Amino acid sequence: MVDVVISGTGLYVPEDKITNEELVIAYNQHADQFNTEHKADIDAGLMPAKQHSSAEFIEKASGIRQRHLVDVEGVMDLDRMMSKMPPGGHGDRDTPCFQAAMGLAAANMALEQAGLDPADIDQIVCTSAVMQRSFPAIGIEVQHFLGTSGSAFDMVMGCSSATYGLIAGVNAIKSGAANRVLMVNPEIFSTMVNFRDRDSHFIFGDIATAVVLERADLAKGDDQWLVHGTKQSTQFSDNIRSNYGPMTRIDDGTLFRDDMFFVQEGRKVFKELLPLVTSFISKQLDDADMAVSDLSRMWLHQANINMNMYAAKKLLGRDPEPGEAPTVLENYGNTAGAGSIVAFHHHRDDLTKGDKGLICSFGAGYSIGSLMVEKL
């Protein structure tokens, strides 16, 4: 049986950053503008007035204080309130598109940590909740500019994108299709956010992660994590959704319709998805003949602080101790598929040989994916 290890991780963080306080300024100005423009209908009871947001409300609801975006200027522009295309964003033979450029930066960091050159990689899995375009594949563009051989492909799996990409890489190595796989995960989900919606304008940030997977007998990096097992599951739900897609351009009047942005039924998601997640993890532990107490750390999907703490408490049967289920929400926000990888990247250096952990993500679909790992 071929063993697979994680031997390197990388992170790219966009320069543009916006705090809750700054984001609230733009939203509240929009709310005032909306209420003034629709005063007659609001006074007549034909539509509700938009309520102000606050930094305190955002932090209490999500645990988020700031987030990085591919573009802040466009988000703060009241006439636009959405990102603008960064320079070089369309990509060409000489310049990578901005999503590929994000992936390349994270990939180079991961390769350096693993002690590898691009030529050592056999396959690239580029996975994200939102792709900048359908074709050519962003993964093939990353392959081109990075200089790897073999194959590359794209995968879209909502907030489980990174773990599903890692599982695909593990399976490729175990099957003999590749010796080394690079998972790149450039998340640009802020481009799908309705910044005019009080309930969701603050949730998402942008980031890119990358992870190197290798056959254990080939790995030479200083920080290796044996993948003990993987598990994935899906169950259909449209409680987290966007109807934006190829048909939008031929469906008149849809471009700025609310359902073209990220939409969720938050209470339904909390009630339905979290029991699925905790049951899923418990079953994975049972199948591995392990107890949750055998885990030194859980790197969970970074949805919001309340979901993370609920899942950790349900699994542990108590409030988690500091470090048992670390969060990165405060500085990055919800980074879609990247969240659990960002947590793993930042919160593993203190663990020692033999320590075990779980990298788990969950979200739209519903989808859940996880990897059980052990420090070597």
Side-chain angles (χ1 to χ4, degrees):
M1 177 66 71
V2 175
D3 285 332
V4 179
V5 297
I6 293 172
S7 58
T9 61
L11 212 63
Y12 167 79
V13 182
E15 291 184 5
D16 277 14
K17 179 178 67 177
I18 187 167
T19 64
N20 290 347
E21 290 78 8
E22 293 167 329
L23 196 59
V24 163
I25 289 172
Y27 175 79
N28 287 347
Q29 288 176 346
H30 158 71
D32 290 341
Q33 186 181 74
F34 177 91
N35 292 340
T36 299
E37 292 175 357
H38 298 89
K39 185 177 186 305
D41 286 340
I42 292 170
D43 290 345
L46 299 177
M47 66 170 59
K50 288 200 172 188
Q51 302 298 311
H52 275 195
S53 185
S54 71
E56 294 77 18
F57 158 74
I58 292 172
E59 186 172 355
K60 182 178 180 180
S62 65
I64 300 167
R65 291 187 178 180
Q66 64 180 33
R67 74 287 295 145
H68 294 261
L69 305 177
V70 293
D71 173 67
V72 166
E73 182 181 349
V75 170
M76 294 290 284
D77 182 350
L78 287 186
D79 294 327
R80 181 181 178 89
M81 295 191 79
M82 65 176 65
S83 298
K84 296 178 181 178
M85 181 74 81
H90 293 291
D92 54 44
R93 290 184 180 273
D94 300 316
T95 308
C97 71
F98 75 83
Q99 192 172 25
M102 290 171 66
L104 285 163
N108 281 317
M109 183 186 294
L111 287 169
E112 181 178 359
Q113 189 177 101
L116 298 176
D117 295 320
D120 295 319
I121 299 297
D122 305 310
Q123 186 178 91
I124 291 176
V125 183
C126 183
T127 179
S128 179
V130 175
M131 286 296 179
Q132 182 175 340
R133 62 167 188 265
S134 297
F135 51 85
I138 303 296
I140 298 177
E141 189 171 0
V142 172
Q143 177 191 30
H144 169 71
F145 285 101
L146 193 60
T148 67
S149 58
S151 64
F153 62 91
D154 286 354
M155 176 187 293
V156 176
M157 273 303 296
C159 286
S160 294
S161 290
T163 53
Y164 271 63
L166 287 174
I167 292 169
V170 170
N171 291 340
I173 294 172
K174 285 185 173 294
S175 72
N179 289 324
R180 296 184 175 98
V181 175
L182 174 66
M183 187 283 294
V184 293
N185 170 227
E187 291 289 3
I188 55 170
F189 204 83
S190 73
T191 61
M192 297 296 295
V193 170
N194 183 354
F195 286 97
R196 295 181 172 92
D197 176 46
R198 181 178 182 270
D199 291 335
S200 62
H201 75 110
F202 56 85
I203 296 176
F204 290 97
D206 301 320
I207 204 164
T209 67
V211 178
V212 174
L213 296 162
E214 301 185 71
R215 270 181 41 175
D217 59 328
L218 301 178
K220 55 187 179 181
D222 295 330
D223 184 33
Q224 297 182 29
W225 294 78
L226 177 67
V227 179
H228 269 298
T230 65
K231 186 176 175 64
Q232 53 196 147
S233 177
T234 56
Q235 177 177 307
F236 179 72
S237 169
D238 67 350
N239 287 328
I240 308 171
R241 64 191 182 279
S242 168
N243 292 325
Y244 185 83
M247 301 304 291
T248 303
R249 63 186 298 181
I250 61 174
D251 188 0
D252 295 342
T254 63
L255 190 56
F256 295 103
R257 207 170 65 197
D258 285 350
D259 65 319
M260 295 294 107
F261 298 95
F262 161 81
V263 180
Q264 74 169 348
E265 300 286 344
R267 289 182 177 85
K268 289 183 179 179
V269 172
F270 196 101
K271 181 179 179 180
E272 295 175 2
L273 180 55
L274 286 178
L276 292 176
V277 171
T278 53
S279 176
F280 171 98
I281 293 175
S282 295
K283 180 67 164 59
Q284 185 175 18
L285 289 168
D286 287 344
D287 290 344
D289 197 25
M290 291 175 59
V292 70
S293 58
D294 294 322
L295 299 178
S296 298
R297 190 149 298 163
M298 292 183 288
W299 300 280
L300 300 176
H301 171 54
Q302 304 290 301
N304 67 57
I305 192 66
N306 300 310
M307 292 184 77
N308 280 55
M309 291 302 101
Y310 175 94
K313 184 175 181 178
K314 185 74 172 178
L315 289 162
L316 293 166
R318 55 172 172 78
D319 290 331
E321 298 289 336
E324 285 186 303
T327 62
V328 294
L329 288 157
E330 179 177 327
N331 293 320
Y332 296 111
N334 181 335
T335 51
S340 59
I341 308 303
V342 178
F344 179 71
H345 178 84
H346 280 303
H347 295 284
R348 72 175 191 266
D349 289 347
D350 60 314
L351 299 184
T352 57
K353 183 177 180 179
D355 284 343
K356 297 181 178 65
L358 190 75
I359 304 170
C360 182
S361 62
F362 43 86
Y366 296 129
S367 61
I368 313 170
S370 70
L371 298 89
M372 193 104 55
V373 297
E374 178 182 349
K375 169 74 173 177
L376 296 181

